[in-house]
């Protein structure tokens, strides 16, 4: 059995979920620029085909395939992993598919928690299970896209923080159990991304909530992050075998103080958010 020191530092075959738009698409481009053959996974067939055509044009010979799948459905993550590995084993997998929302926590029904958990966490856990120990023995890089809400829970984000917090536990358990074999999990916790619909996409869900709830990140006082810049950093951090990537880095202090003192953490979080 190989040890971590025996693993190659170059990843050859990448699978990216949520790869038809947003950060997932940016990560697919970044992986291709890094020399990987990329398999794209997304739910929307039309956008998936457009992304596939674009990458095929930009990176001839580096698009391994594409699969349309709703990863919130049990069994779908296992299926796409098996299909992607028919021609070549995977050594880089990024779960970028996900959902976010707005709402008061006491007005959020169980069905909404289940809807977000299904794609934000259960799909990630099933991907890890489907990849298993063989992926770890190849020195596989498993990238889990969380958010600042993976470590703190701002107001008015509905079921979103509860669906992202478990990724931290998943990443640590994978490090503890499969890290010695060679697995390199990377937990990414970014602030809000720059988007064309930033500030308006939650207008309906945020009706009746404080104005800040409509804004990216629920009103976090941070500059919106360029997805292409972040995607390159994610791929570089994964290849380097890093365990965490937090952007902006100053959020580390908020995370640390929130662990030391809930009261201090809550006070800082209120100051950090425009609520």
């Amino acid at each position: 059995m190989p040890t971590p020191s025996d693993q190659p530092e170059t990843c050859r075959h990448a699978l990216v979920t949520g790869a038809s738009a947003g950060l997932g698409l940016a990560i697919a481009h970044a992986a291709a620029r890094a020399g990987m053959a990329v398999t794209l996974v997304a739910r929307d067939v039309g956008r998936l085909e457009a992304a596939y055509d674009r990458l095929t044009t930009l990176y001839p010979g580096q698009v391994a395939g594409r699969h349309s799948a709703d990863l919130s459905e049990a069994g779908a993550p296992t299926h796409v992993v098996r299909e992607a590995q028919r021609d070549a084993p995977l050594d880089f997998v990024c779960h970028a598919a996900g959902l976010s929302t707005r709402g008061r926590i006491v007005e959020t029904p169980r069905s909404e928690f289940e809807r977000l958990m299904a794609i934000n966490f259960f799909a990630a856990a099933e991907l890890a299970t489907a990849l298993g120990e063989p992926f770890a023995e190849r020195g596989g890089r498993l990238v889990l896209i969380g958010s600042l809400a993976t470590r703190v829970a701002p107001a008015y984000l509905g079921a979103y923080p509860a669906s992202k917090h478990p990724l931290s536990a998943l990443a640590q358990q994978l490090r503890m159990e499969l890290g010695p074999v060679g697995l390199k999990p990377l937990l990414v916790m970014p602030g809000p991304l720059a988007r064309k619909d930033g500030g308006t996409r939650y207008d309906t869900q945020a009706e009746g909530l404080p104005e800040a709830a409509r804004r990216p990140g629920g009103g976090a006082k941070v500059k919106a992050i360029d997805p292409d810049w972040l995607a390159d950093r994610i791929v570089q951090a994964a290849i380097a075998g890093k365990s965490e990537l937090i952007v902006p880095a100053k959020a580390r202090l908020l995370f640390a103080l929130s662990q030391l003192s809930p009261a201090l953490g809550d006070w800082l979080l209120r100051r950090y958010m425009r609520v």
Side-chain angles (χ1 to χ4, degrees):
M1 181 180 296
T3 63
S5 61
D6 296 326
Q7 306 305 334
E9 295 183 358
T10 300
C11 296
R12 296 176 176 83
H13 184 193
L15 181 146
V16 182
T17 73
S20 65
L23 182 59
L25 178 57
I27 291 170
H29 279 266
R33 286 194 296 271
M36 301 182 213
V38 184
T39 295
L40 312 176
V41 179
R43 183 176 57 178
D44 188 296
V45 176
R47 294 199 302 184
L48 177 61
E49 290 299 323
Y52 176 82
D53 291 343
R54 179 63 173 161
L55 265 77
T56 300
T57 299
L58 291 175
Y59 314 102
Q62 285 185 239
V63 183
R66 75 280 202 199
H67 300 280
S68 174
D70 183 352
L71 298 180
S72 67
E73 297 180 356
T78 299
H79 177 73
V80 297
V81 166
R82 288 174 178 170
E83 289 298 308
Q85 296 198 111
R86 284 185 181 275
D87 296 325
L90 293 163
D91 47 26
F92 179 104
V93 174
C94 175
H95 182 51
L99 291 172
S100 59
T101 188
R102 295 292 185 272
R104 289 185 173 86
I105 193 66
V106 295
E107 296 173 358
T108 302
R110 175 177 177 142
S111 60
E112 184 71 353
F113 283 98
E114 292 174 345
R115 185 175 76 94
L116 267 68
M117 287 289 290
I119 186 64
N120 291 349
F121 175 66
F122 292 148
E126 187 178 336
L127 282 171
T129 300
L131 293 164
E133 194 154 321
F135 181 75
E137 292 173 352
R138 290 192 296 274
R141 271 59 171 172
L142 177 58
V143 181
L144 304 173
I145 303 298
S147 76
L148 297 183
T150 302
R151 291 280 172 81
V152 293
Y156 309 119
L157 298 190
Y160 183 66
S163 72
K164 286 293 189 179
H165 267 55
L167 291 177
S168 181
L170 176 63
Q172 185 167 26
Q173 284 185 279
L174 289 170
R175 292 196 307 271
M176 296 299 293
E177 295 181 12
L178 294 179
V181 181
L183 183 67
K184 303 289 186 182
L186 171 64
L187 179 60
V188 182
M189 291 169 277
L193 302 178
R195 318 172 36 113
K196 291 181 180 179
D197 61 352
T200 61
R201 64 188 297 226
Y202 298 109
D203 281 355
T204 300
Q205 294 179 3
E207 187 175 351
L209 299 178
E211 178 60 29
R214 302 174 184 269
R215 300 175 187 169
K221 297 177 182 178
V222 294
K223 182 180 179 180
I225 303 166
D226 176 65
D228 294 319
W229 174 85
L230 179 59
D232 281 327
R233 287 202 62 189
I234 290 170
V235 170
Q236 292 165 9
I239 291 174
K242 295 186 180 298
S243 299
E244 289 186 348
L245 177 61
I246 300 171
V247 181
K250 65 180 182 181
R252 285 185 178 277
L253 179 61
L254 173 62
F255 295 166
L257 293 176
S258 294
Q259 288 294 309
L260 289 173
S261 168
L264 177 58
D266 291 352
W267 180 79
L268 287 171
L269 188 57
R270 290 189 181 99
R271 291 181 59 86
Y272 190 71
M273 311 297 289
R274 295 187 178 93
V275 177

